[in-house]
Amino acid sequence: MNDPAKDLLAVNAAFYEAFENADFDSMRELWATDDGVVCVHPANRPIRGYQAVMRSWVALMASAPYIQFFLTDVEAVVVGELGSVTCTENVLSAGTDTPDVASFAGASAAATNVFRLTPEGWRLWIHHASPVLSSPDADPDEPTEGGAS
Amino acid sequence: MNDPAKDLLAVNAAFYEAFENADFDSMRELWATDDGVVCVHPANRPIRGYQAVMRSWVALMASAPYIQFFLTDVEAVVVGELGSVTCTENVLSAGTDTPDVASFAGASAAATNVFRLTPEGWRLWIHHASPVLSSPDADPDEPTEGGAS
């Protein structure tokens, strides 16, 4: 019997692989194509609708010649035709403005990926990634900021 | 005929009202009660499961004696029994460490709120809020960072 969470994790892995490889053709096949899709890149405002989200990926892929993701704390949940994968994105990247190819920047982001089961299989509906400032040893049940929700 | 997006926006508004009023009883009624619920507070890692998410709200409500949300750029989408509300949270808050009650801190966050239609109505399934660093005049289709996704 097929495990829906396993299918979901495979699509989630394909998403990060497409970004790492700057494989725009794969990236656009992974998303639902409706106007309800939403993408929030770190420190940015929401981008809505398939066309606008795809434009943002073209821009990101063009600006990041090298990027690699090490996913930790990955959890997948399926409820009917709705699925989510949450994880920590540990990112290693080199930008176009990096003077020395041997110097890299590392960062961590919390990612929420929401998927819809479509006739074509699981498709990304929402991707929201945001920088994590708390220490890796902090208790995840205790938010470190009391500001916004 | 009932407009599902209108119902969704009402629950979304109730969520921010519960936080503003530190009304924990209302807050816990707004969420789905399964282990799949996820909450990402700004700059934090994901908190998963109904019990852990509720504990985080108790902690946040205890640490923020005054908080007010002005929501802008609000958009609701409904696909079957799945709904999302994305918005910018413009937050005005005073912390317990604010020496002068007349001094407030303001900040903006991008919020993705995902809802499931349950037998009891729309319930929050995922809340992800993250600080926005881009200027309010920036083109939302052009992400300002090329780092993480």
Side-chain angles (χ1 to χ4, degrees):
Chain A
M1 193 175 150
N2 215 6
D3 178 0
K6 193 177 163 190
D7 292 345
L8 202 58
L9 287 168
V11 178
N12 193 67
F15 164 71
Y16 288 102
E17 199 177 309
F19 191 10
E20 283 182 342
N21 298 332
D23 180 351
F24 181 67
D25 286 342
S26 293
M27 179 62 84
R28 68 179 170 189
E29 303 233 322
L30 290 164
W31 286 75
T33 52
D34 59 88
D35 287 344
V37 302
V38 174
C39 186
V40 184
H41 297 290
N44 280 261
R45 291 184 297 153
I47 300 170
R48 302 183 181 100
Y50 182 74
Q51 295 299 336
V53 168
M54 289 306 113
R55 280 199 300 275
S56 80
W57 284 111
V58 169
L60 272 184
M61 287 173 174
S63 70
Y66 180 88
I67 190 159
Q68 195 173 355
F69 292 94
F70 303 91
L71 302 185
T72 52
D73 193 28
V74 181
E75 293 232 6
V77 180
V78 172
V79 178
E81 301 190 338
L82 167 64
S84 86
V85 178
T86 48
C87 58
T88 300
E89 302 174 349
N90 303 281
V91 188
L92 201 62
S93 66
T96 47
D97 54 353
T98 305
D100 180 348
V101 290
S103 71
F104 291 100
S108 286
T112 302
N113 299 321
V114 180
F115 299 82
R116 284 202 297 117
L117 190 56
T118 73
E120 293 77 37
W122 289 106
R123 290 292 181 271
L124 250 177
W125 200 53
I126 297 175
H127 168 70
H128 189 150
S130 58
V132 174
L133 302 181
S134 56
S135 95
D137 299 326
D139 181 352
D141 293 353
E142 294 293 332
T144 54
E145 279 201 335
S149 67
Chain B
M1 194 175 148
N2 215 5
D3 178 0
K6 193 177 162 190
D7 292 343
L8 201 59
L9 286 168
V11 178
N12 194 67
F15 164 70
Y16 288 102
E17 201 176 308
F19 190 10
E20 284 182 342
N21 297 334
D23 181 352
F24 181 67
D25 285 343
S26 294
M27 179 61 84
R28 68 180 170 188
E29 304 233 322
L30 290 165
W31 286 76
T33 52
D34 59 89
D35 286 343
V37 301
V38 174
C39 186
V40 184
H41 297 290
N44 279 261
R45 291 185 296 154
I47 299 170
R48 301 183 182 100
Y50 181 74
Q51 295 299 337
V53 168
M54 288 307 112
R55 280 199 300 275
S56 80
W57 284 111
V58 169
L60 271 184
M61 287 173 174
S63 69
Y66 179 87
I67 189 158
Q68 194 171 356
F69 292 93
F70 303 92
L71 302 184
T72 52
D73 193 27
V74 181
E75 292 230 5
V77 180
V78 171
V79 178
E81 300 190 339
L82 167 63
S84 86
V85 177
T86 48
C87 59
T88 300
E89 303 173 348
N90 304 282
V91 188
L92 201 62
S93 67
T96 46
D97 53 353
T98 305
D100 181 347
V101 290
S103 72
F104 291 99
S108 286
T112 301
N113 299 320
V114 181
F115 299 83
R116 284 202 297 118
L117 190 56
T118 73
E120 293 77 38
W122 289 106
R123 291 291 181 271
L124 251 178
W125 201 53
I126 297 175
H127 167 70
H128 189 150
S130 58
V132 173
L133 301 181
S134 56
S135 98
D137 299 327
D139 181 351
D141 293 353
E142 294 292 333
T144 55
E145 280 201 334
S149 69

